[in-house]
Amino acid sequence: MNTKILKVDLNNIDMDSLKEAGQLISEGELVAFPTETVYGLGGDALDAKAAEKIYKAKGRPSDNPLIVHISKFEELEMISKDLPIEARKLADRFWPGPLTMIVNKNDKVPYETTGGMDTVAVRMPNHPIALELIRQSGCLIAAPSANTSGRPSPTEAKHVVGDLDGKIAMVLDGGEVGIGIESTIVDLTEDEILVLRPGYITPQMLSEVIGKEVKIDPGIIAQDDTTKPKAPGMKYKHYAPKASLVLVEGEQDNVVSKINELVQEQHKQDKRVAVIATDETRNKYKADVILNIGSRNDEDSIARHLYKILRECDELEIDSIFSESFQTPRIGNAIMNRLLKAAGHQVIQA
Ligand code: AMP
Ligand code: MG
């Protein structure tokens, strides 16, 4: 299949391009598009065959459900049943935005879309191209991240093309995304409201709106196999770079000294080494490659560059990578959830 790549200017959206993309979705084809979190791989959410195509293009296990993207609240009502009051409250406050809600599905949603579950994940993205694509297609759009399963989520169109060229009908290139990590997932189907995947919207922000405590699913914090995560996708081993990745935790100065020590040890064994650093520390390291992830004064910049940096690691001929840790004040949990998985939980205390 020839994948058509169309550039779309965020500030001046070309409606003909969006109509063409919407038409493809309505015909059961797949189109990758930007959202504010990461690029999504979209297909008609209520068409079982389109959902199957998504799993096939990504090489995604079929028990890992898709998130349904909508452009108005009524579309949530259309595909759910027993919608709890919290859904309306959270939508009023956070939609459009990086929050996915798990609710009970009704018969309109095929099991292919939900990986066999009786619940469905729904989100209204805060991105003009994504919203216009949903409207133009006349569909609800099932869209997981537009990467090959096991690769880092794409934050630029070129990452999508690298993974899915020839496998999907179209890529809408709307430039670099704003947030860079996937949406927060909150489960509203149980008495206890749990965050199944940490993201830009924190449990505290959710608690404030619904007036009761929201906890993080113990299954995603546990490092053993006894407690399973509730979101099927969180159990899969995520991206690990080809080179070994080790995180170093502690006070900034200690981390810098420790990493420099570790680099020296590697150099003695003739290894090529990269360090993941920040604006504040990048000049303090002596390694073969320094990858600057962003600034500690701007934790959003760290989230935005995380996946891009992990992709870059594979393009470099290096043997090991040492990274600072980013337990930043607000979204540190979300950043570290991804980075710890990439590092296979290898952490050294400085
Ligand atoms: P992605 O679309 O690649 O960001 O992945 C979607 C995430 O949402 C995966 O971790 C899924 O397991 C999770 N998810 C989707 N639907 C449900 C659901 N009904 N219940 C629990 N988790 C879900
Ligand atoms: Mg994904």
Side-chain angles (χ1 to χ4, degrees), residues 49 89 91 114 143 229:
K49 289 216 168 63
K89 288 188 188 168
T114 66

Side-chain angles (χ1 to χ4, degrees), residues 58 60 144-145 147 153 182 197 238:
K58 278 181 62 83
R60 182 173 174 115
S145 49
N147 51 304
S153 295
E182 305 86 345
R197 177 172 73 185
H238 264 223

Side-chain angles (χ1 to χ4, degrees), residues 91-217:
D92 282 349
R93 174 67 186 81
F94 297 114
W95 278 2
L99 178 69
T100 296
M101 298 188 219
I102 309 286
V103 297
N104 289 313
K105 82 172 195 74
N106 66 24
D107 293 345
K108 291 202 177 70
V109 188
Y111 282 112
E112 283 76 1
T113 297
T114 66
M117 297 179 85
D118 288 313
T119 54
V120 60
V122 186
R123 173 168 112 82
M124 192 190 294
N126 185 16
H127 194 289
I129 295 176
L131 289 171
E132 196 54 46
L133 178 65
I134 299 167
R135 289 192 282 261
Q136 290 296 336
S137 69
C139 300
L140 312 192
I141 298 186
S145 49
N147 51 304
T148 300
S149 218
R151 299 270 298 143
S153 295
T155 55
E156 295 176 40
K158 71 173 184 203
H159 302 156
V160 180
V161 175
D163 282 9
L164 299 175
D165 195 20
K167 296 182 173 168
I168 62 177
M170 184 182 275
V171 178
L172 293 174
D173 178 354
E176 226 178 300
V177 300
I179 292 181
I181 52 176
E182 305 86 345
S183 57
T184 304
I185 300 180
V186 65
D187 184 359
L188 301 181
T189 64
E190 309 270 350
D191 291 339
E192 188 179 39
I193 296 184
L194 289 181
V195 165
L196 307 190
R197 177 172 73 185
Y200 191 78
I201 293 173
T202 62
Q204 291 76 358
M205 290 159 80
L206 299 173
S207 295
E208 276 164 29
V209 171
I210 58 187
K212 69 177 183 191
E213 195 186 1
V214 177
K215 291 195 188 137
I216 295 200
D217 173 13

Side-chain angles (χ1 to χ4, degrees), residues 24-89:
L24 285 168
I25 299 259
S26 71
E27 288 166 357
E29 297 298 333
L30 306 186
V31 175
F33 60 97
T35 78
E36 80 278 35
T37 58
V38 301
Y39 272 75
L41 174 58
D44 180 352
L46 305 188
D47 173 358
K49 289 216 168 63
E52 279 169 355
K53 276 190 189 171
I54 293 177
Y55 288 104
K56 186 153 178 255
K58 278 181 62 83
R60 182 173 174 115
S62 61
D63 69 343
N64 187 2
L66 310 174
I67 295 174
V68 177
H69 290 67
I70 61 173
S71 64
K72 44 182 191 278
F73 188 81
E74 293 69 45
E75 291 167 338
L76 171 63
E77 295 173 315
M78 193 183 101
I79 58 171
S80 61
K81 65 175 183 202
D82 318 320
L83 200 60
I85 179 78
E86 286 85 3
R88 170 66 80 173
K89 288 188 188 168

